[in-house]
mmCIF file of all heavy atoms in Angstrom:
data_model
loop_
_atom_site.group_PDB
_atom_site.id
_atom_site.type_symbol
_atom_site.label_atom_id
_atom_site.label_comp_id
_atom_site.label_asym_id
_atom_site.label_seq_id
_atom_site.Cartn_x
_atom_site.Cartn_y
_atom_site.Cartn_z
ATOM 1 N N SER A 1 -176.836 -69.388 -44.250
ATOM 2 C CA SER A 1 -176.584 -70.721 -44.779
ATOM 3 C C SER A 1 -175.477 -70.597 -45.793
ATOM 4 O O SER A 1 -175.317 -69.510 -46.491
ATOM 5 C CB SER A 1 -177.844 -71.306 -45.350
ATOM 6 O OG SER A 1 -178.256 -70.550 -46.446
ATOM 7 N N THR A 2 -174.742 -71.648 -46.047
ATOM 8 C CA THR A 2 -173.612 -71.629 -46.933
ATOM 9 C C THR A 2 -173.605 -72.825 -47.923
ATOM 10 O O THR A 2 -174.210 -73.816 -47.620
ATOM 11 C CB THR A 2 -172.292 -71.624 -46.163
ATOM 12 O OG1 THR A 2 -172.212 -72.836 -45.358
ATOM 13 C CG2 THR A 2 -172.180 -70.429 -45.210
ATOM 14 N N ASN A 3 -172.851 -72.580 -48.960
ATOM 15 C CA ASN A 3 -172.697 -73.729 -49.936
ATOM 16 C C ASN A 3 -171.357 -73.479 -50.628
ATOM 17 O O ASN A 3 -170.867 -72.385 -50.710
ATOM 18 C CB ASN A 3 -173.773 -73.690 -51.005
ATOM 19 C CG ASN A 3 -173.993 -75.029 -51.639
ATOM 20 O OD1 ASN A 3 -173.315 -75.980 -51.301
ATOM 21 N ND2 ASN A 3 -174.930 -75.169 -52.511
ATOM 22 N N TYR A 4 -170.727 -74.575 -51.012
ATOM 23 C CA TYR A 4 -169.368 -74.587 -51.575
ATOM 24 C C TYR A 4 -169.201 -75.379 -52.863
ATOM 25 O O TYR A 4 -169.963 -76.366 -53.064
ATOM 26 C CB TYR A 4 -168.368 -75.196 -50.551
ATOM 27 C CG TYR A 4 -168.326 -74.398 -49.278
ATOM 28 C CD1 TYR A 4 -169.211 -74.699 -48.194
ATOM 29 C CD2 TYR A 4 -167.436 -73.384 -49.034
ATOM 30 C CE1 TYR A 4 -169.136 -74.039 -46.943
ATOM 31 C CE2 TYR A 4 -167.372 -72.715 -47.926
ATOM 32 C CZ TYR A 4 -168.239 -73.021 -46.838
ATOM 33 O OH TYR A 4 -168.164 -72.348 -45.669
ATOM 34 N N ALA A 5 -168.248 -74.892 -53.688
ATOM 35 C CA ALA A 5 -167.929 -75.732 -54.779
ATOM 36 C C ALA A 5 -167.251 -77.048 -54.278
ATOM 37 O O ALA A 5 -166.572 -77.014 -53.254
ATOM 38 C CB ALA A 5 -166.932 -74.966 -55.684
ATOM 39 N N ASP A 6 -167.457 -78.133 -54.976
ATOM 40 C CA ASP A 6 -166.921 -79.361 -54.565
ATOM 41 C C ASP A 6 -165.303 -79.287 -54.421
ATOM 42 O O ASP A 6 -164.793 -79.946 -53.515
ATOM 43 C CB ASP A 6 -167.197 -80.481 -55.557
ATOM 44 C CG ASP A 6 -168.690 -80.865 -55.544
ATOM 45 O OD1 ASP A 6 -169.381 -80.588 -54.470
ATOM 46 O OD2 ASP A 6 -169.188 -81.525 -56.497
ATOM 47 N N SER A 7 -164.720 -78.490 -55.225
ATOM 48 C CA SER A 7 -163.311 -78.444 -55.218
ATOM 49 C C SER A 7 -162.675 -77.787 -53.920
ATOM 50 O O SER A 7 -161.527 -77.938 -53.689
ATOM 51 C CB SER A 7 -162.811 -77.653 -56.482
ATOM 52 O OG SER A 7 -163.295 -76.361 -56.428
ATOM 53 N N VAL A 8 -163.531 -77.088 -53.217
ATOM 54 C CA VAL A 8 -163.013 -76.459 -52.003
ATOM 55 C C VAL A 8 -163.695 -76.893 -50.708
ATOM 56 O O VAL A 8 -163.271 -76.482 -49.614
ATOM 57 C CB VAL A 8 -163.203 -74.902 -52.119
ATOM 58 C CG1 VAL A 8 -162.529 -74.365 -53.396
ATOM 59 C CG2 VAL A 8 -164.620 -74.438 -51.981
ATOM 60 N N LYS A 9 -164.596 -77.796 -50.823
ATOM 61 C CA LYS A 9 -165.298 -78.293 -49.601
ATOM 62 C C LYS A 9 -164.313 -78.925 -48.655
ATOM 63 O O LYS A 9 -163.458 -79.697 -49.019
ATOM 64 C CB LYS A 9 -166.386 -79.372 -49.997
ATOM 65 C CG LYS A 9 -167.692 -78.743 -50.521
ATOM 66 C CD LYS A 9 -168.703 -79.837 -50.815
ATOM 67 C CE LYS A 9 -169.979 -79.239 -51.331
ATOM 68 N NZ LYS A 9 -170.966 -80.274 -51.769
ATOM 69 N N GLY A 10 -164.518 -78.556 -47.368
ATOM 70 C CA GLY A 10 -163.546 -79.123 -46.328
ATOM 71 C C GLY A 10 -162.335 -78.322 -46.216
ATOM 72 O O GLY A 10 -161.563 -78.507 -45.220
ATOM 73 N N ARG A 11 -162.074 -77.433 -47.144
ATOM 74 C CA ARG A 11 -160.811 -76.573 -47.052
ATOM 75 C C ARG A 11 -161.115 -75.106 -46.857
ATOM 76 O O ARG A 11 -160.328 -74.418 -46.189
ATOM 77 C CB ARG A 11 -159.969 -76.787 -48.313
ATOM 78 C CG ARG A 11 -159.528 -78.184 -48.567
ATOM 79 C CD ARG A 11 -158.503 -78.293 -49.702
ATOM 80 N NE ARG A 11 -159.064 -77.816 -50.947
ATOM 81 C CZ ARG A 11 -158.544 -76.811 -51.655
ATOM 82 N NH1 ARG A 11 -157.496 -76.160 -51.305
ATOM 83 N NH2 ARG A 11 -159.180 -76.471 -52.795
ATOM 84 N N PHE A 12 -162.145 -74.628 -47.496
ATOM 85 C CA PHE A 12 -162.521 -73.230 -47.433
ATOM 86 C C PHE A 12 -163.787 -73.023 -46.610
ATOM 87 O O PHE A 12 -164.633 -73.861 -46.494
ATOM 88 C CB PHE A 12 -162.831 -72.667 -48.809
ATOM 89 C CG PHE A 12 -161.670 -72.538 -49.747
ATOM 90 C CD1 PHE A 12 -160.407 -73.128 -49.456
ATOM 91 C CD2 PHE A 12 -161.838 -71.882 -51.001
ATOM 92 C CE1 PHE A 12 -159.355 -72.987 -50.306
ATOM 93 C CE2 PHE A 12 -160.701 -71.726 -51.856
ATOM 94 C CZ PHE A 12 -159.523 -72.307 -51.534
ATOM 95 N N THR A 13 -163.795 -71.851 -45.890
ATOM 96 C CA THR A 13 -164.968 -71.475 -45.099
ATOM 97 C C THR A 13 -165.368 -70.098 -45.366
ATOM 98 O O THR A 13 -164.519 -69.146 -45.256
ATOM 99 C CB THR A 13 -164.666 -71.616 -43.544
ATOM 100 O OG1 THR A 13 -164.277 -73.038 -43.319
ATOM 101 C CG2 THR A 13 -165.889 -71.303 -42.710
ATOM 102 N N ILE A 14 -166.607 -69.872 -45.756
ATOM 103 C CA ILE A 14 -167.118 -68.539 -45.981
ATOM 104 C C ILE A 14 -167.896 -68.133 -44.708
ATOM 105 O O ILE A 14 -168.556 -68.898 -44.097
ATOM 106 C CB ILE A 14 -168.039 -68.494 -47.217
ATOM 107 C CG1 ILE A 14 -168.386 -67.046 -47.542
ATOM 108 C CG2 ILE A 14 -169.273 -69.347 -47.027
ATOM 109 C CD1 ILE A 14 -169.119 -66.868 -48.859
ATOM 110 N N SER A 15 -167.682 -66.860 -44.357
ATOM 111 C CA SER A 15 -168.428 -66.327 -43.172
ATOM 112 C C SER A 15 -168.666 -64.822 -43.389
ATOM 113 O O SER A 15 -168.064 -64.170 -44.233
ATOM 114 C CB SER A 15 -167.665 -66.547 -41.854
ATOM 115 O OG SER A 15 -166.394 -65.879 -41.951
ATOM 116 N N ARG A 16 -169.653 -64.314 -42.565
ATOM 117 C CA ARG A 16 -169.965 -62.895 -42.744
ATOM 118 C C ARG A 16 -170.131 -62.322 -41.442
ATOM 119 O O ARG A 16 -170.665 -62.984 -40.456
ATOM 120 C CB ARG A 16 -171.250 -62.757 -43.625
ATOM 121 C CG ARG A 16 -172.463 -63.464 -43.085
ATOM 122 C CD ARG A 16 -173.589 -63.536 -44.184
ATOM 123 N NE ARG A 16 -174.026 -62.177 -44.554
ATOM 124 C CZ ARG A 16 -174.743 -61.926 -45.628
ATOM 125 N NH1 ARG A 16 -175.025 -62.860 -46.475
ATOM 126 N NH2 ARG A 16 -175.137 -60.703 -45.933
ATOM 127 N N ASP A 17 -169.755 -61.078 -41.267
ATOM 128 C CA ASP A 17 -169.906 -60.235 -40.043
ATOM 129 C C ASP A 17 -170.867 -59.104 -40.415
ATOM 130 O O ASP A 17 -170.400 -58.101 -40.982
ATOM 131 C CB ASP A 17 -168.619 -59.778 -39.545
ATOM 132 C CG ASP A 17 -168.751 -59.132 -38.151
ATOM 133 O OD1 ASP A 17 -169.855 -58.555 -37.920
ATOM 134 O OD2 ASP A 17 -167.770 -59.087 -37.454
ATOM 135 N N ASN A 18 -172.130 -59.218 -40.112
ATOM 136 C CA ASN A 18 -173.072 -58.142 -40.546
ATOM 137 C C ASN A 18 -172.841 -56.847 -39.755
ATOM 138 O O ASN A 18 -173.124 -55.790 -40.303
ATOM 139 C CB ASN A 18 -174.463 -58.613 -40.320
ATOM 140 C CG ASN A 18 -174.953 -59.706 -41.301
ATOM 141 O OD1 ASN A 18 -174.365 -59.780 -42.399
ATOM 142 N ND2 ASN A 18 -175.941 -60.425 -40.997
ATOM 143 N N ALA A 19 -172.300 -56.934 -38.580
ATOM 144 C CA ALA A 19 -171.973 -55.675 -37.825
ATOM 145 C C ALA A 19 -170.845 -54.891 -38.538
ATOM 146 O O ALA A 19 -170.789 -53.656 -38.413
ATOM 147 C CB ALA A 19 -171.625 -56.038 -36.407
ATOM 148 N N LYS A 20 -169.990 -55.577 -39.176
ATOM 149 C CA LYS A 20 -168.854 -54.916 -39.845
ATOM 150 C C LYS A 20 -169.007 -54.801 -41.330
ATOM 151 O O LYS A 20 -168.132 -54.336 -42.053
ATOM 152 C CB LYS A 20 -167.520 -55.683 -39.551
ATOM 153 C CG LYS A 20 -167.129 -55.691 -38.027
ATOM 154 C CD LYS A 20 -165.821 -56.461 -37.873
ATOM 155 C CE LYS A 20 -165.397 -56.360 -36.406
ATOM 156 N NZ LYS A 20 -164.126 -57.153 -36.158
ATOM 157 N N ASN A 21 -170.122 -55.326 -41.828
ATOM 158 C CA ASN A 21 -170.404 -55.307 -43.290
ATOM 159 C C ASN A 21 -169.246 -55.979 -44.003
ATOM 160 O O ASN A 21 -168.782 -55.505 -45.098
ATOM 161 C CB ASN A 21 -170.590 -53.833 -43.811
ATOM 162 C CG ASN A 21 -171.825 -53.237 -43.224
ATOM 163 O OD1 ASN A 21 -172.809 -53.872 -42.903
ATOM 164 N ND2 ASN A 21 -171.786 -51.932 -43.029
ATOM 165 N N THR A 22 -168.809 -57.114 -43.519
ATOM 166 C CA THR A 22 -167.589 -57.784 -44.111
ATOM 167 C C THR A 22 -167.859 -59.220 -44.325
ATOM 168 O O THR A 22 -168.427 -59.942 -43.500
ATOM 169 C CB THR A 22 -166.378 -57.540 -43.204
ATOM 170 O OG1 THR A 22 -166.151 -56.140 -43.006
ATOM 171 C CG2 THR A 22 -165.117 -58.185 -43.860
ATOM 172 N N LEU A 23 -167.383 -59.680 -45.485
ATOM 173 C CA LEU A 23 -167.447 -61.067 -45.858
ATOM 174 C C LEU A 23 -166.008 -61.670 -45.818
ATOM 175 O O LEU A 23 -165.049 -60.926 -46.189
ATOM 176 C CB LEU A 23 -168.000 -61.185 -47.313
ATOM 177 C CG LEU A 23 -168.111 -62.612 -47.822
ATOM 178 C CD1 LEU A 23 -169.296 -63.387 -47.193
ATOM 179 C CD2 LEU A 23 -168.294 -62.557 -49.368
ATOM 180 N N TYR A 24 -165.874 -62.913 -45.370
ATOM 181 C CA TYR A 24 -164.574 -63.530 -45.326
ATOM 182 C C TYR A 24 -164.592 -64.829 -46.022
ATOM 183 O O TYR A 24 -165.641 -65.454 -46.273
ATOM 184 C CB TYR A 24 -164.230 -63.838 -43.836
ATOM 185 C CG TYR A 24 -164.245 -62.612 -42.961
ATOM 186 C CD1 TYR A 24 -165.344 -62.326 -42.107
ATOM 187 C CD2 TYR A 24 -163.133 -61.774 -42.898
ATOM 188 C CE1 TYR A 24 -165.326 -61.229 -41.264
ATOM 189 C CE2 TYR A 24 -163.123 -60.606 -42.116
ATOM 190 C CZ TYR A 24 -164.144 -60.327 -41.346
ATOM 191 O OH TYR A 24 -164.199 -59.221 -40.547
#
């Protein structure tokens, strides 16, 4: 699940790849 600051909602996307141990 994700949550964003109001200032970046609709422009930024957070995602994670658990297989690669990487956050984007």
Side-chain angles (χ1 to χ4, degrees):
S1 63
T2 59
N3 204 359
Y4 298 90
D6 288 343
S7 58
V8 307
K9 279 181 182 176
R11 300 188 298 122
F12 290 11
T13 302
I14 189 172
S15 61
R16 59 194 296 163
D17 186 334
N18 288 338
K20 296 182 179 180
N21 295 330
T22 302
L23 180 74
Y24 302 99

